[in-house]
Amino acid sequence: MVIHSLLAATLMMTSLPAADVQAKADCAKVKCLALTFDDGPSDHTATLLKVLRKEQAKATFFLVGKQVERRPAVAKSEAAQGHAIGNHTYSHPSLPSKLDNDVIDEIKSTQALIEQATGQRPKMFRPPYGHTDERVLGLAGQQDLAQVLWSGTTLDWKLRDVKQIKAAVLRLAKRDGVILMHDTVPQTVQAMPEIIKELKKQGYRLVTVPALLRGKALTPGVSYP
């Protein structure tokens, strides 16, 4: 009976869809890394989603409201495939120079657009350019959002080169790291198959930002990592 139970459990695991396999990752026990993508959804995001699905990898997408307006179906696909979704403002301004009401409008309008497209209301917010301060963090917290920055940025928007972007990701990779990229950069999307394969060889499980917290909830008004 024990042998039969073990066999059944093994068969069940091998037949799990990618999202369920990913959900089993325990970042307290395995080496996890979060790949994050800003500024989309773009014309290249659908291709990136195909790569992630094939490789059974999860990512985190910080969406710009006006891009969600243009491509709501892509945003919906991101959420449906089990990726984490965050708010990246409506028009991608530098927030510290904005008035309180303008910051709130940038965040609230994007929350509504993402929820309309995906059925999910984000719990994460990433300030454009990483420009933030205590006031911006507090305003995000008022909208029930945690701020998510990064442990390393590839500067892919500047590199625009597949080999250099891959090298940057591998250089920045570390356990529980959060790597910043952009799905608006075609070379980043082109580099992803090789990046993911190499990261897997190094023992990484590619998870969402929330998965790095090992079951703990993101706290509004708190900055991560």
Side-chain angles (χ1 to χ4, degrees):
M1 289 294 290
V2 174
I3 294 174
H4 285 273
S5 297
L6 288 172
L7 179 59
T10 301
L11 291 172
M12 184 179 295
M13 282 298 295
T14 56
S15 63
L16 282 172
D20 291 335
V21 171
Q22 183 66 33
K24 298 295 182 182
D26 182 351
C27 295
K29 298 179 180 178
V30 299
K31 191 165 66 169
C32 290
L33 176 68
L35 302 180
T36 69
F37 299 90
D38 287 8
D39 296 359
S42 78
D43 291 335
H44 311 289
T45 307
T47 300
L48 174 59
L49 290 175
K50 290 179 182 177
V51 173
L52 294 171
R53 184 170 61 249
K54 179 180 178 182
E55 297 295 335
Q56 296 189 5
K58 296 300 171 193
T60 302
F61 291 90
F62 290 94
L63 307 185
V64 170
K66 63 182 181 181
Q67 302 299 346
V68 176
E69 280 185 320
R70 294 171 181 170
R71 304 176 185 88
V74 179
K76 182 178 181 179
S77 293
E78 290 172 343
Q81 292 179 27
H83 303 294
I85 304 296
N87 185 318
H88 200 42
T89 73
Y90 179 80
S91 62
H92 204 273
S94 177
L95 295 177
S97 64
K98 298 291 183 181
L99 298 174
D100 286 9
N101 286 342
D102 293 332
V103 174
I104 291 171
D105 285 346
E106 284 279 342
I107 293 173
K108 288 182 69 174
S109 60
T110 304
Q111 287 289 87
L113 287 165
I114 292 174
E115 186 172 21
Q116 182 179 3
T118 69
Q120 300 180 13
R121 193 165 185 83
K123 297 295 185 182
M124 297 178 294
F125 155 78
R126 176 173 280 172
Y129 313 107
H131 294 176
T132 188
D133 55 23
E134 288 300 318
R135 180 179 66 94
V136 170
L137 179 59
L139 292 171
Q142 290 175 20
Q143 302 304 313
D144 295 323
L145 292 167
Q147 178 175 272
V148 175
L149 299 175
W150 50 85
S151 62
T153 175
T154 58
L155 299 177
D156 55 347
W157 56 271
K158 182 189 297 185
L159 294 176
R160 301 278 172 172
D161 180 90
V162 171
K163 290 184 178 179
Q164 291 185 54
I165 292 169
K166 176 184 175 182
V169 173
L170 298 180
R171 183 178 68 252
L172 295 167
K174 64 178 183 178
R175 186 169 187 172
D176 295 335
V178 178
I179 296 180
L180 168 61
M181 291 177 282
H182 299 80
D183 48 323
T184 55
V185 176
Q187 293 86 354
T188 295
V189 176
Q190 293 165 21
M192 286 314 298
E194 289 300 317
I195 288 172
I196 292 174
K197 287 177 183 177
E198 184 58 36
L199 289 173
K200 285 184 174 181
K201 285 181 183 178
Q202 294 182 19
Y204 286 102
R205 293 289 293 273
L206 302 179
V207 304
T208 64
V209 168
L212 294 178
L213 300 181
R214 297 149 169 74
K216 296 180 181 178
L218 288 154
T219 302
V222 173
S223 189
Y224 298 85

